[in-house]
Amino acid sequence: MKNIPDMSLVEFRKFLNTLVNEDIFISRERLTALLAKDSSREELDAEFMEFHGDYEDLGFWFETYTKDPLKGLDPHASLTKKLQRHRDYIFANRKTTLEERINRRMGVYLESDPKPEKKIIELPLDEYRQLLRNLVTQELFVVRERLAVLLEEDAPFKKLDVVFREFFVAYELLELALEDYHYDPDEGLEISAVFAEELDRVDASLKAGDRTYSLEEVLKEFEGE
């Protein structure tokens, strides 16, 4: 994917439309409805698996966005001050590097990666519900609605850019809300011997420092054939 700061206006609008239509915003509505109905652990587990997978998909889009989202904004504007407070909170509480967070979304932990002690699958029901309520009420979902409206109104680039930065910081807050928790949707499920052997091979390869390839690199390799 092209670096976000290097996108043209047309590319940027297309990118934003992709963001606001990601599946996480649909799964969030379903999860919110289940929480409101005091649904069972099994129902919540099934929907959270979807929500978490959609969160991983959303995170993929931000892997190339490494610039300071506050750079160039009016430092005296109320929104800038609010975002600065959020970022100060994020940096004060974040324990992982970008590479570690990418690994975590893929369900991979290297020897050097900090592994969360809290397992979502082992949380007591009340604590689990509280975590889910915290996730579905994150600011990301409010900012998404505002960004969707601006796209519908064909707002100018400057407005879209400012709200995208707000969206990005809100995503970082959602990411931070999950940082202290380990989640593996396949935990407790039986896997075939062949698949287990392949997992061991990949794990050994990563620990040995073998190079991994991004989706973009793989696509370029296929296109070149």
Side-chain angles (χ1 to χ4, degrees):
M1 187 185 74
K2 191 171 184 179
N3 286 345
I4 295 168
D6 300 329
M7 290 180 178
S8 68
L9 177 56
V10 172
E11 290 171 328
F12 189 53
R13 286 185 184 278
K14 184 177 180 181
F15 168 65
L16 295 183
N17 271 296
T18 298
L19 286 185
V20 302
N21 288 294
E22 277 288 305
D23 287 343
I24 189 172
F25 301 107
I26 299 172
S27 58
R28 178 255 182 176
E29 293 301 318
R30 292 196 300 259
L31 193 53
T32 301
L34 288 174
L35 287 166
K37 293 190 299 183
D38 202 28
S39 300
S40 68
R41 178 81 186 229
E42 290 73 19
E43 290 174 300
L44 293 173
D45 283 345
E47 192 55 52
F48 178 70
M49 182 172 66
E50 298 294 328
F51 178 92
H52 194 276
D54 296 337
Y55 150 76
E56 292 173 337
D57 292 342
L58 182 65
F60 164 78
W61 297 110
F62 297 121
E63 290 177 9
T64 62
Y65 189 71
T66 56
K67 67 175 285 188
D68 180 355
L70 276 62
K71 186 177 181 180
L73 297 181
D74 178 1
H76 304 294
S78 58
L79 175 60
T80 308
K81 292 178 180 179
K82 171 187 168 184
L83 295 182
Q84 186 62 65
R85 289 194 300 272
H86 285 335
R87 294 218 95 203
D88 288 345
Y89 173 77
I90 290 165
F91 291 140
N93 292 278
R94 180 184 276 167
K95 308 177 186 71
T96 55
T97 65
L98 175 60
E99 182 179 6
E100 288 167 350
R101 292 192 297 278
I102 292 172
N103 288 341
R104 183 176 296 189
R105 283 201 307 275
M106 295 188 300
V108 176
Y109 291 91
L110 305 185
E111 291 288 348
S112 58
D113 292 350
K115 191 170 183 178
E117 294 181 4
K118 297 180 182 179
K119 284 189 174 185
I120 289 180
I121 194 172
E122 295 176 355
L123 291 178
L125 183 55
D126 287 347
E127 189 176 345
Y128 181 49
R129 288 183 185 276
Q130 185 55 47
L131 171 63
L132 297 186
R133 290 191 190 97
N134 179 32
L135 295 177
V136 300
T137 55
Q138 287 284 311
E139 191 166 348
L140 177 76
F141 303 106
V142 177
V143 180
R144 182 264 175 193
E145 296 303 316
R146 192 152 62 250
L147 187 53
V149 169
L150 288 175
L151 288 167
E152 284 288 330
E153 295 174 348
D154 201 24
F157 172 81
K158 187 173 181 179
K159 279 190 176 181
L160 292 172
D161 182 49
V162 170
V163 178
F164 165 71
R165 294 169 190 236
E166 188 180 5
F167 186 94
F168 175 75
V169 174
Y171 165 75
E172 288 187 308
L173 288 170
L174 173 64
E175 189 176 54
L176 184 64
L178 282 162
E179 183 164 284
D180 288 335
Y181 297 91
H182 168 68
Y183 179 67
D184 180 357
D186 297 324
E187 190 167 2
L189 299 179
E190 292 186 10
I191 59 176
S192 69
V194 173
F195 186 59
E197 185 179 334
E198 177 64 14
L199 284 178
D200 289 339
R201 186 192 66 77
V202 171
D203 183 55
S205 176
L206 289 170
K207 289 177 180 177
D210 292 345
R211 186 184 173 205
T212 58
Y213 295 86
S214 68
L215 177 60
E216 183 180 16
E217 290 174 313
V218 173
L219 291 174
K220 284 183 178 179
E221 183 69 23
F222 277 113
E223 290 171 357
E225 292 183 353

